[in-house]
mmCIF file of all heavy atoms in Angstrom:
data_model
loop_
_atom_site.group_PDB
_atom_site.id
_atom_site.type_symbol
_atom_site.label_atom_id
_atom_site.label_comp_id
_atom_site.label_asym_id
_atom_site.label_seq_id
_atom_site.Cartn_x
_atom_site.Cartn_y
_atom_site.Cartn_z
ATOM 1 N N ARG A 8 18.932 107.840 95.283
ATOM 2 C CA ARG A 8 17.619 107.640 94.622
ATOM 3 C C ARG A 8 16.724 108.830 94.892
ATOM 4 O O ARG A 8 16.047 109.308 93.991
ATOM 5 C CB ARG A 8 16.987 106.336 95.099
ATOM 6 C CG ARG A 8 15.647 106.114 94.432
ATOM 7 C CD ARG A 8 15.086 104.763 94.688
ATOM 8 N NE ARG A 8 15.048 104.464 96.110
ATOM 9 C CZ ARG A 8 14.847 103.246 96.594
ATOM 10 N NH1 ARG A 8 14.670 102.246 95.825
ATOM 11 N NH2 ARG A 8 14.817 103.059 97.913
ATOM 12 N N GLU A 9 16.712 109.334 96.115
ATOM 13 C CA GLU A 9 15.920 110.511 96.427
ATOM 14 C C GLU A 9 16.325 111.724 95.590
ATOM 15 O O GLU A 9 15.448 112.438 95.034
ATOM 16 C CB GLU A 9 16.030 110.870 97.897
ATOM 17 C CG GLU A 9 15.335 109.903 98.843
ATOM 18 C CD GLU A 9 15.525 110.272 100.286
ATOM 19 O OE1 GLU A 9 15.757 111.454 100.595
ATOM 20 O OE2 GLU A 9 15.492 109.367 101.113
ATOM 21 N N ILE A 10 17.620 111.924 95.450
ATOM 22 C CA ILE A 10 18.130 113.036 94.669
ATOM 23 C C ILE A 10 17.658 112.914 93.188
ATOM 24 O O ILE A 10 17.152 113.845 92.589
ATOM 25 C CB ILE A 10 19.682 113.124 94.734
ATOM 26 C CG1 ILE A 10 20.090 113.554 96.105
ATOM 27 C CG2 ILE A 10 20.229 114.062 93.674
ATOM 28 C CD1 ILE A 10 21.607 113.423 96.374
ATOM 29 N N ILE A 11 17.833 111.704 92.659
ATOM 30 C CA ILE A 11 17.513 111.490 91.224
ATOM 31 C C ILE A 11 16.012 111.615 91.035
ATOM 32 O O ILE A 11 15.563 112.204 90.049
ATOM 33 C CB ILE A 11 18.050 110.131 90.751
ATOM 34 C CG1 ILE A 11 19.576 110.156 90.750
ATOM 35 C CG2 ILE A 11 17.490 109.760 89.383
ATOM 36 C CD1 ILE A 11 20.246 108.815 90.474
ATOM 37 N N CYS A 12 15.229 111.059 91.907
ATOM 38 C CA CYS A 12 13.756 111.152 91.791
ATOM 39 C C CYS A 12 13.299 112.599 91.857
ATOM 40 O O CYS A 12 12.438 113.013 91.069
ATOM 41 C CB CYS A 12 13.087 110.354 92.925
ATOM 42 S SG CYS A 12 13.152 108.567 92.691
ATOM 43 N N ASP A 13 13.896 113.391 92.760
ATOM 44 C CA ASP A 13 13.549 114.810 92.832
ATOM 45 C C ASP A 13 13.943 115.553 91.600
ATOM 46 O O ASP A 13 13.178 116.343 91.070
ATOM 47 C CB ASP A 13 14.199 115.449 94.047
ATOM 48 C CG ASP A 13 13.600 115.010 95.393
ATOM 49 O OD1 ASP A 13 12.470 114.440 95.377
ATOM 50 O OD2 ASP A 13 14.227 115.209 96.421
ATOM 51 N N GLN A 14 15.175 115.331 91.108
ATOM 52 C CA GLN A 14 15.685 116.081 89.945
ATOM 53 C C GLN A 14 14.930 115.728 88.659
ATOM 54 O O GLN A 14 14.671 116.603 87.853
ATOM 55 C CB GLN A 14 17.170 115.770 89.739
ATOM 56 C CG GLN A 14 18.074 116.256 90.833
ATOM 57 C CD GLN A 14 18.380 117.729 90.747
ATOM 58 O OE1 GLN A 14 18.299 118.334 89.700
ATOM 59 N NE2 GLN A 14 18.720 118.341 91.861
ATOM 60 N N LEU A 15 14.627 114.459 88.493
ATOM 61 C CA LEU A 15 14.012 114.031 87.238
ATOM 62 C C LEU A 15 12.509 113.727 87.332
ATOM 63 O O LEU A 15 11.910 113.257 86.362
ATOM 64 C CB LEU A 15 14.754 112.750 86.724
ATOM 65 C CG LEU A 15 16.244 112.906 86.480
ATOM 66 C CD1 LEU A 15 16.858 111.551 86.058
ATOM 67 C CD2 LEU A 15 16.506 113.966 85.448
ATOM 68 N N GLU A 16 11.957 113.977 88.515
ATOM 69 C CA GLU A 16 10.520 113.730 88.749
ATOM 70 C C GLU A 16 10.136 112.317 88.395
ATOM 71 O O GLU A 16 9.204 112.077 87.633
ATOM 72 C CB GLU A 16 9.692 114.758 87.992
ATOM 73 C CG GLU A 16 9.981 116.205 88.453
ATOM 74 C CD GLU A 16 9.177 117.227 87.676
ATOM 75 O OE1 GLU A 16 8.364 116.860 86.799
ATOM 76 O OE2 GLU A 16 9.344 118.426 87.966
ATOM 77 N N LEU A 17 10.903 111.364 88.970
ATOM 78 C CA LEU A 17 10.628 109.946 88.734
ATOM 79 C C LEU A 17 10.073 109.282 90.014
ATOM 80 O O LEU A 17 10.242 109.815 91.102
ATOM 81 C CB LEU A 17 11.925 109.231 88.371
ATOM 82 C CG LEU A 17 12.625 109.689 87.098
ATOM 83 C CD1 LEU A 17 14.002 109.048 87.009
ATOM 84 C CD2 LEU A 17 11.790 109.346 85.895
ATOM 85 N N SER A 18 9.457 108.132 89.838
ATOM 86 C CA SER A 18 9.064 107.359 91.013
ATOM 87 C C SER A 18 10.246 106.515 91.419
ATOM 88 O O SER A 18 11.162 106.233 90.632
ATOM 89 C CB SER A 18 7.879 106.473 90.691
ATOM 90 O OG SER A 18 8.266 105.359 89.916
ATOM 91 N N GLU A 19 10.294 106.081 92.663
ATOM 92 C CA GLU A 19 11.385 105.287 93.191
ATOM 93 C C GLU A 19 11.535 103.969 92.401
ATOM 94 O O GLU A 19 12.638 103.436 92.318
ATOM 95 C CB GLU A 19 11.233 105.011 94.678
ATOM 96 C CG GLU A 19 11.462 106.279 95.515
ATOM 97 C CD GLU A 19 11.491 106.003 96.995
ATOM 98 O OE1 GLU A 19 11.238 104.829 97.398
ATOM 99 O OE2 GLU A 19 11.763 106.906 97.744
ATOM 100 N N ASP A 20 10.436 103.456 91.878
ATOM 101 C CA ASP A 20 10.495 102.203 91.119
ATOM 102 C C ASP A 20 11.314 102.326 89.821
ATOM 103 O O ASP A 20 11.837 101.378 89.346
ATOM 104 C CB ASP A 20 9.064 101.764 90.749
ATOM 105 C CG ASP A 20 8.239 101.351 91.962
ATOM 106 O OD1 ASP A 20 8.851 101.017 92.991
ATOM 107 O OD2 ASP A 20 6.998 101.412 91.877
ATOM 108 N N ASP A 21 11.398 103.546 89.313
ATOM 109 C CA ASP A 21 12.170 103.793 88.059
ATOM 110 C C ASP A 21 13.687 103.857 88.302
ATOM 111 O O ASP A 21 14.458 103.724 87.363
ATOM 112 C CB ASP A 21 11.758 105.137 87.399
ATOM 113 C CG ASP A 21 10.310 105.075 86.949
ATOM 114 O OD1 ASP A 21 9.834 104.006 86.523
ATOM 115 O OD2 ASP A 21 9.645 106.141 87.011
ATOM 116 N N VAL A 22 14.064 104.045 89.566
ATOM 117 C CA VAL A 22 15.498 104.280 89.868
ATOM 118 C C VAL A 22 16.042 103.022 90.559
ATOM 119 O O VAL A 22 15.807 102.787 91.728
ATOM 120 C CB VAL A 22 15.636 105.510 90.775
ATOM 121 C CG1 VAL A 22 17.146 105.745 91.086
ATOM 122 C CG2 VAL A 22 15.061 106.750 90.103
ATOM 123 N N THR A 23 16.750 102.199 89.769
ATOM 124 C CA THR A 23 17.361 100.987 90.269
ATOM 125 C C THR A 23 18.848 101.066 90.014
ATOM 126 O O THR A 23 19.342 101.914 89.256
ATOM 127 C CB THR A 23 16.799 99.729 89.568
ATOM 128 O OG1 THR A 23 17.153 99.834 88.165
ATOM 129 C CG2 THR A 23 15.281 99.676 89.715
ATOM 130 N N LEU A 24 19.603 100.201 90.634
ATOM 131 C CA LEU A 24 21.060 100.183 90.441
ATOM 132 C C LEU A 24 21.453 99.915 88.981
ATOM 133 O O LEU A 24 22.432 100.444 88.501
ATOM 134 C CB LEU A 24 21.707 99.113 91.352
ATOM 135 C CG LEU A 24 21.761 99.465 92.823
ATOM 136 C CD1 LEU A 24 22.239 98.275 93.630
ATOM 137 C CD2 LEU A 24 22.619 100.669 93.086
ATOM 138 N N ASP A 25 20.659 99.141 88.293
ATOM 139 C CA ASP A 25 20.948 98.794 86.896
ATOM 140 C C ASP A 25 20.418 99.822 85.883
ATOM 141 O O ASP A 25 20.687 99.702 84.686
ATOM 142 C CB ASP A 25 20.371 97.434 86.547
ATOM 143 C CG ASP A 25 21.019 96.338 87.355
ATOM 144 O OD1 ASP A 25 22.181 96.445 87.694
ATOM 145 O OD2 ASP A 25 20.318 95.324 87.648
ATOM 146 N N ALA A 26 19.643 100.798 86.369
ATOM 147 C CA ALA A 26 19.042 101.765 85.442
ATOM 148 C C ALA A 26 20.132 102.645 84.811
ATOM 149 O O ALA A 26 21.014 103.163 85.496
ATOM 150 C CB ALA A 26 18.017 102.635 86.175
ATOM 151 N N VAL A 27 20.065 102.792 83.486
ATOM 152 C CA VAL A 27 20.993 103.635 82.766
ATOM 153 C C VAL A 27 20.471 105.069 82.878
ATOM 154 O O VAL A 27 19.308 105.361 82.662
ATOM 155 C CB VAL A 27 21.099 103.186 81.286
ATOM 156 C CG1 VAL A 27 21.969 104.137 80.484
ATOM 157 C CG2 VAL A 27 21.602 101.765 81.199
ATOM 158 N N LEU A 28 21.405 105.982 83.251
ATOM 159 C CA LEU A 28 20.979 107.362 83.505
ATOM 160 C C LEU A 28 20.263 107.981 82.320
ATOM 161 O O LEU A 28 19.249 108.666 82.494
ATOM 162 C CB LEU A 28 22.201 108.179 83.896
ATOM 163 C CG LEU A 28 22.739 107.885 85.301
ATOM 164 C CD1 LEU A 28 24.154 108.429 85.466
ATOM 165 C CD2 LEU A 28 21.810 108.437 86.341
ATOM 166 N N THR A 29 20.736 107.775 81.118
ATOM 167 C CA THR A 29 20.060 108.366 79.965
ATOM 168 C C THR A 29 18.707 107.730 79.709
ATOM 169 O O THR A 29 17.821 108.378 79.165
ATOM 170 C CB THR A 29 20.931 108.262 78.697
ATOM 171 O OG1 THR A 29 21.315 106.927 78.498
ATOM 172 C CG2 THR A 29 22.181 109.157 78.809
ATOM 173 N N ASP A 30 18.544 106.473 80.092
ATOM 174 C CA ASP A 30 17.267 105.775 79.901
ATOM 175 C C ASP A 30 16.190 106.311 80.857
ATOM 176 O O ASP A 30 15.005 106.162 80.583
ATOM 177 C CB ASP A 30 17.412 104.275 80.047
ATOM 178 C CG ASP A 30 18.162 103.637 78.884
ATOM 179 O OD1 ASP A 30 18.393 104.340 77.886
ATOM 180 O OD2 ASP A 30 18.514 102.440 79.013
ATOM 181 N N VAL A 31 16.599 106.874 81.997
ATOM 182 C CA VAL A 31 15.615 107.413 82.941
ATOM 183 C C VAL A 31 15.403 108.924 82.680
ATOM 184 O O VAL A 31 14.702 109.556 83.445
ATOM 185 C CB VAL A 31 16.026 107.156 84.421
ATOM 186 C CG1 VAL A 31 15.995 105.683 84.741
ATOM 187 C CG2 VAL A 31 17.325 107.801 84.791
ATOM 188 N N GLY A 32 15.976 109.398 81.588
ATOM 189 C CA GLY A 32 15.657 110.770 81.160
ATOM 190 C C GLY A 32 16.686 111.817 81.570
ATOM 191 O O GLY A 32 16.407 113.013 81.433
ATOM 192 N N ALA A 33 17.844 111.418 82.014
ATOM 193 C CA ALA A 33 18.876 112.370 82.400
ATOM 194 C C ALA A 33 19.696 112.828 81.188
ATOM 195 O O ALA A 33 20.338 112.002 80.559
ATOM 196 C CB ALA A 33 19.800 111.748 83.444
ATOM 197 N N ASP A 34 19.619 114.121 80.857
ATOM 198 C CA ASP A 34 20.493 114.657 79.827
ATOM 199 C C ASP A 34 21.716 115.272 80.502
ATOM 200 O O ASP A 34 21.879 115.169 81.691
ATOM 201 C CB ASP A 34 19.752 115.648 78.915
ATOM 202 C CG ASP A 34 19.237 116.876 79.672
ATOM 203 O OD1 ASP A 34 19.790 117.193 80.768
ATOM 204 O OD2 ASP A 34 18.325 117.545 79.196
#
């Protein structure tokens, strides 16, 4: 979660186990 939040500039609340990578903005 820390890696993804840093890379995509997201809050920890946006990064859950069920979150789809493309839905959180990962291309």
Side-chain angles (χ1 to χ4, degrees):
R8 180 171 52 194
E9 288 178 27
I10 290 169
I11 293 171
C12 286
D13 288 344
Q14 294 281 336
L15 301 178
E16 299 179 0
L17 299 171
S18 74
E19 288 187 356
D20 294 336
D21 296 326
V22 181
T23 65
L24 288 172
D25 296 328
V27 176
L28 289 163
T29 55
D30 289 349
V31 295
D34 62 21

